[in-house]
Amino acid sequence: MPRPFSGKGMACRGHHICSSVLGRKHRSLPRLLKTVILQITELCGAKRVGYFGPTQFYVALKLIAAAQSGLPVRIESIKCELPLPRFMMSKTDGEIRFGNPAELLGTKMQIPYLITEKNTFKRMDDEDKQQETQSPTMSPLASPPSSPPHYQRVPLSHGYSKLRSSTEQMHPAPYDARQPLVQPEGASTGGPGAKPPRHQTSLIRSFSVEREPQDNNSNYPDEPWRITEEQREYYVNQFRSLQPDPSSFISGSVAKNFFTKSKLSIPELSYIWELSDADCDGALTLPEFCAAFHLIVARKNGYPLPEGLPPTLQPEYLQAAFPKPKWECALFDSYSESMPANQQPRDLNRMEKLSIKDMADFPVPIQDVTGDDKQALKNTVDEVLPKDMSEDPATPKDSNSLKARPRSRSYSSTSIEEAMKRGEDPPTPPPRPQKTHSRASSLDLNKVFQPSVPATKSGLLPPPPALPPRPCPSQPEQASEAELHPQLNRAPSQAAESSPTKKDLPYSQPPSKPIRRKFRPENQATENQEPSTTVGGPASVAAAKPHPTVQKQSSKQKKAIQTAIRKNKEANAVLARLNSELQQQLKEVHQERIALENQLEQLRPVTVL
Amino acid sequence: MAVCVAVIAKENYPLYIRSVPTENELKFHYMVHTSLDVVDEKISAMGKALVDQRELYLGLLYPTEDYKVYGYVTNSRVKFVMVVDSSNTALRDNEIRSMFRKLHSSYTDVMCNPFYNPGDRIQSRAFDSMVTSMMIQVC
């Protein structure tokens, strides 16, 4: 009897590895006799065909499992439920490639097949590939692209149930088992970068083509770039908070302040702006704003930013996908019926303007999508562009299907949470300082969302990173808020400027000035540094919005501040005196040192000579 | 067709400089730097602010054996300097002008981005890709 696997001369490298791995595996398993192994190889057809194709490998593993569980090594034994085969793998170089399958063998039988498929895809030469395709055992490999609808029907199980391929003399069970994996893999890897960069990303690539037909209700397989209804409403609300008129723009500076709150880095925000401001006018319309917001949310959830604006985030798509009904339900409370009507023609005009440009920039949406996916996307996109208008029924369904799909990263729900959280962050700013905490944004946080409750704010206001932490933050904060009322607190405010409570002015300014923020968004940045000059200014504006509750505490706080001021002044004086004394001592010590050095020099030549 | 493209701010520090054969970068940087003198000379020679496309384009600043340097200045005294290979004799003035126009419009797009602070290095990918498209024809 020939040595096991000798016949598997390995015309193809990939198969060689299969067999060598198998051989090694088996050798490391004392329990499986060589005869059994021989039987297995015979049964799975490797011996006949001359190599371990993926299917043979797969079947062989099944047979091994059967053998290990005591079942007779026969084809029929594969059909029943089998525990997974146990292998003791030694981590050699040759096996590292199958290291993943080794781990996964403990979990799923199908994944090794997929891995080997991936590996064989990766490492096969063209001729090998052709060999693969020519052999009858290649039908499973060919099958995924050819029978996508089948995937959706296959239940998520080990799928020993169906025999699919008739040309296969061996077991279609492996192929069936493979299919359910496709669906969960496809479903769970809905987005680019959704999985950690492991073999799964290559699986995404391998199965991206199949995945696309699985997209039930859309022609865009880029799920994370699709805005759901709730997200859309949220974005529209945010837009309205920044700019009441939904048909006009948000200016660049306003948008900048708002997006800076998301704590993304400035280069990333800059890039997101570049992507979303399609007409490069320095302002965001509602669809542009939604796209930008969506990109920010996606980035915060860990998705890498795309190379170009995804098709689902293009302004005309957004406008088409969320037409009047959206406007109506989102805007009815504030606006008349005429508004949506006015917006539509205007939007259409913009669409016309934009459409050409967007067609020109039509991007490759997702960063880590490979060539096949790009091709497929481009094809689907070309089909879909004319169908933009018809997407309306599709998108709500799609959003439902989005949520319905089991995913390890349930994008829609987590993104909503993240977005909501982010949206809520400004109203209740966290007590810790934020990384991209520019001065303007620290003010805006409080200004935009808390126009009326100074008391609660004081406890929550974060200290600006520029100033050192100081004692007793809360009382002086409240007091300094009160100070902004010029009638009451001119004197203490002036005093406050000169004291270390300077730092509290940033807290004090935000609570009372939602109006001022809009008028002078940039001035705020400088105001923190020039409290003396600006307290007067903002104070006068703030006078327009008196806070009756604060006035009650003003007197107490005044005293507290004054005592604090006095104490700090005394401490300052003490430290200054100490400083001068030490300086003097330092001078004296220097002089002594010089004298000693002189002596040393005088003495030295004497000794040398 | 350009071998090196540079955007210089009003205060004569570079906002963006990129050359195609990346090994000889220093040479190009030096050429751009020396060409700034010529640019300043031309600007002062122009006298009052002449807001005309033709005046914005400064033309050939100076030729060397291997390279020709062209300049362009914007209204805000931001200078674009382009170094082209002398062997590219087919390059006409109009083409250079159109390249500068493209540069100028991309630059304004970068400016429109509120996250861009004037005086920062230009890191916009759109700008990069536009410059690449201008330079890639060399290779």
Side-chain angles (χ1 to χ4, degrees):
Chain A
M1 198 165 266
R3 272 188 58 242
F5 318 125
S6 64
K8 331 308 174 267
M10 301 320 113
C12 318
R13 277 176 301 149
H15 305 301
H16 180 70
I17 289 159
C18 290
S19 75
S20 65
V21 165
L22 258 189
R24 229 172 298 176
K25 283 187 206 171
H26 293 302
R27 257 178 264 127
S28 64
L29 265 182
R31 287 177 285 171
L32 270 188
L33 303 174
K34 273 203 174 171
T35 51
V36 177
I37 295 170
L38 267 179
Q39 254 187 317
I40 290 174
T41 56
E42 245 179 64
L43 271 179
C44 76
K47 202 165 177 200
R48 184 182 56 78
V49 182
Y51 56 83
F52 270 95
T55 57
Q56 286 80 30
F57 185 77
Y58 205 84
V59 175
L61 291 174
K62 286 265 172 73
L63 289 169
I64 291 168
Q68 283 180 344
S69 49
L71 298 172
V73 179
R74 236 172 261 125
I75 293 173
E76 297 79 30
S77 49
I78 291 186
K79 290 197 192 146
C80 46
E81 289 280 336
L82 285 173
L84 299 166
R86 294 172 297 283
F87 290 101
M88 293 181 289
M89 296 283 289
S90 56
K91 285 276 187 187
T92 63
D93 284 334
E95 290 176 346
I96 294 293
R97 273 172 295 199
F98 291 84
N100 281 340
E103 299 159 35
L104 295 167
L105 276 173
T107 57
K108 270 192 181 183
M109 193 88 172
Q110 295 77 15
I111 297 183
Y113 168 78
L114 296 167
I115 301 301
T116 60
E117 187 181 80
K118 164 203 95 157
N119 290 334
T120 53
F121 277 149
K122 272 187 170 176
R123 280 180 271 104
M124 264 197 278
D125 303 330
D126 285 344
E127 58 182 64
D128 293 348
K129 222 169 185 163
Q130 285 164 13
Q131 242 182 2
E132 283 276 83
T133 50
Q134 282 157 18
S135 76
T137 62
M138 274 314 294
S139 60
L141 287 171
S143 63
S146 62
S147 64
H150 192 59
Y151 294 156
Q152 299 181 11
R153 292 194 292 270
V154 172
L156 181 57
S157 67
H158 280 292
Y160 295 141
S161 47
K162 294 190 214 163
L163 303 184
R164 216 173 45 85
S165 160
S166 56
T167 60
E168 200 41 56
Q169 78 284 14
M170 286 345 280
H171 299 284
Y175 319 137
D176 291 336
R178 179 174 35 87
Q179 293 161 26
L181 186 64
V182 174
Q183 181 154 19
E185 283 294 336
S188 62
T189 57
K195 288 283 186 208
R198 279 176 29 125
H199 61 282
Q200 285 160 332
T201 56
S202 61
L203 282 175
I204 295 173
R205 284 188 217 117
S206 316
F207 293 107
S208 59
V209 177
E210 299 102 57
R211 209 186 49 195
E212 287 167 34
Q214 287 179 18
D215 284 337
N216 299 324
N217 299 312
S218 77
N219 292 315
Y220 296 117
D222 41 354
E223 300 304 335
W225 307 121
R226 180 175 295 280
I227 301 183
T228 66
E229 293 291 322
E230 304 149 9
Q231 289 174 329
R232 172 80 180 196
E233 278 190 45
Y234 181 71
Y235 300 157
V236 170
N237 288 335
Q238 292 293 315
F239 185 95
R240 285 165 64 199
S241 72
L242 294 176
Q243 164 66 275
D245 181 5
S247 67
S248 76
F249 307 134
I250 293 184
S251 74
S253 48
V254 169
K256 172 181 177 178
N257 293 335
F258 182 74
F259 288 136
T260 318
K261 281 182 238 166
S262 69
K263 304 177 219 165
L264 285 181
S265 66
I266 298 290
E268 286 185 353
L269 287 171
S270 173
Y271 182 59
I272 287 177
W273 177 279
E274 234 183 83
L275 285 178
S276 57
D277 189 6
D279 48 4
C280 293
D281 57 357
L284 296 180
T285 61
L286 182 60
E288 288 175 346
F289 176 82
C290 291
F293 209 127
H294 199 73
L295 285 168
I296 288 176
V297 166
R299 183 76 189 109
K300 294 225 73 161
N301 281 339
Y303 288 101
L305 288 175
E307 289 291 332
L309 194 62
T312 50
L313 291 181
Q314 300 275 348
E316 73 268 8
Y317 176 81
L318 287 175
Q319 282 167 349
F322 296 95
K324 263 190 187 177
K326 216 49 232 175
W327 289 113
E328 286 164 2
C329 60
L331 307 169
F332 248 12
D333 37 341
S334 316
Y335 308 102
S336 63
E337 298 260 3
S338 60
M339 284 293 286
N342 292 343
Q343 289 150 13
Q344 278 304 90
R346 202 195 123 271
D347 293 339
L348 286 172
N349 289 340
R350 286 185 61 81
M351 272 169 62
E352 284 163 355
K353 215 180 17 154
L354 292 169
S355 60
I356 298 172
K357 183 165 184 187
D358 291 322
M359 292 292 284
D361 317 336
F362 211 72
V364 177
I366 303 171
Q367 234 174 1
D368 56 355
V369 166
T370 60
D372 351 316
D373 211 6
K374 290 179 196 176
Q375 280 302 321
L377 282 174
K378 281 200 179 129
N379 297 337
T380 56
V381 159
D382 291 335
E383 297 161 33
V384 169
L385 279 177
K387 291 189 214 161
D388 267 351
M389 293 302 178
S390 63
E391 285 291 333
D392 304 342
T395 48
K397 261 197 292 175
D398 189 50
S399 61
N400 293 336
S401 70
L402 258 185
K403 291 174 215 160
R405 284 199 206 163
R407 290 192 191 178
S408 58
R409 293 185 76 141
S410 150
Y411 174 70
S412 51
S413 52
T414 56
S415 66
I416 291 287
E417 291 160 14
E418 291 285 335
M420 298 300 281
K421 232 196 304 177
R422 173 157 95 75
E424 283 161 7
D425 268 348
T428 59
R432 54 184 159 78
Q434 298 159 359
K435 279 184 211 158
T436 58
H437 193 83
S438 71
R439 294 183 290 267
S441 68
S442 71
L443 295 176
D444 292 340
L445 276 178
N446 304 312
K447 228 161 283 188
V448 178
F449 295 96
Q450 294 182 354
S452 59
V453 189
T456 55
K457 266 177 287 192
S458 57
L460 298 168
L461 291 168
L467 296 164
R470 298 285 184 156
C472 53
S474 57
Q475 272 185 339
E477 281 171 82
Q478 290 182 353
S480 52
E481 289 169 12
E483 286 167 12
L484 293 175
H485 302 290
Q487 304 102 352
L488 303 173
N489 299 321
R490 268 297 174 181
S493 67
Q494 297 291 336
E497 296 155 16
S498 55
S499 78
T501 56
K502 238 184 257 194
K503 59 150 178 116
D504 299 324
L505 282 169
Y507 308 144
S508 60
Q509 287 163 353
S512 45
K513 288 189 264 311
I515 299 171
R516 200 178 115 271
R517 174 189 150 269
K518 282 195 179 159
F519 295 146
R520 303 195 281 177
E522 268 106 32
N523 294 349
Q524 300 153 10
T526 56
E527 267 158 353
N528 290 347
Q529 300 305 315
E530 303 166 356
S532 52
T533 53
T534 54
V535 164
S540 54
V541 177
K545 290 188 108 194
H547 295 290
T549 55
V550 178
Q551 293 176 14
K552 294 173 195 165
Q553 304 165 351
S554 59
S555 52
K556 285 184 226 161
Q557 290 158 359
K558 245 195 281 186
K559 284 181 202 152
I561 288 188
Q562 281 166 349
T563 47
I565 291 167
R566 244 178 282 125
K567 280 188 207 152
N568 285 327
K569 277 192 184 163
E570 285 162 21
N572 271 355
V574 166
L575 287 170
R577 246 179 284 133
L578 189 61
N579 190 21
S580 54
E581 282 169 18
L582 287 171
Q583 294 280 356
Q584 270 203 319
Q585 284 185 13
L586 182 64
K587 268 187 230 166
E588 287 163 15
V589 169
H590 269 312
Q591 285 170 356
E592 279 183 28
R593 182 171 166 230
I594 292 169
L596 285 169
E597 277 180 0
N598 283 337
Q599 283 185 9
L600 187 64
E601 277 187 30
Q602 287 166 9
L603 290 171
R604 202 183 290 155
V606 171
T607 55
V608 166
L609 293 172
Chain B
M1 283 164 253
V3 192
C4 169
V5 170
V7 179
I8 318 283
K10 188 164 80 161
E11 293 84 3
N12 287 338
Y13 60 86
L15 295 175
Y16 181 88
I17 181 160
R18 198 162 129 216
S19 20
V20 158
T22 45
E23 55 275 356
N24 250 342
E25 266 189 337
L26 194 57
K27 181 173 80 178
F28 293 121
H29 294 190
Y30 177 72
M31 286 173 71
V32 169
H33 183 73
T34 52
S35 67
L36 288 177
D37 282 337
V38 185
V39 171
D40 280 342
E41 203 185 299
K42 294 210 178 216
I43 291 178
S44 55
M46 278 199 322
K48 315 285 191 295
L50 299 159
V51 190
D52 189 2
Q53 248 309 319
R54 263 166 293 154
E55 314 299 339
L56 295 176
Y57 173 67
L58 302 172
L60 183 65
L61 297 177
Y62 71 89
T64 63
E65 316 87 47
D66 302 322
Y67 300 101
K68 296 200 241 253
V69 185
Y70 292 91
Y72 180 96
V73 68
T74 68
N75 294 338
S76 51
R77 296 285 173 259
V78 172
K79 305 154 188 89
F80 298 110
V81 176
M82 193 185 326
V83 181
V84 300
D85 209 322
S86 282
S87 53
N88 265 335
T89 49
L91 267 185
R92 281 194 302 275
D93 204 48
N94 277 336
E95 293 170 12
I96 307 279
R97 279 181 201 263
S98 69
M99 283 157 79
F100 275 126
R101 251 195 303 273
K102 272 198 294 185
L103 265 176
H104 195 168
S105 73
S106 300
Y107 177 71
T108 44
D109 287 344
V110 169
M111 283 292 130
C112 281
N113 190 329
F115 297 102
Y116 172 77
N117 299 317
D120 287 352
R121 296 203 55 230
I122 295 178
Q123 281 156 337
S124 146
R125 292 191 214 185
F127 193 83
D128 275 339
S129 59
M130 193 272 311
V131 171
T132 315
S133 72
M134 278 178 24
M135 302 210 294
I136 202 126
Q137 298 154 30
V138 173
C139 313

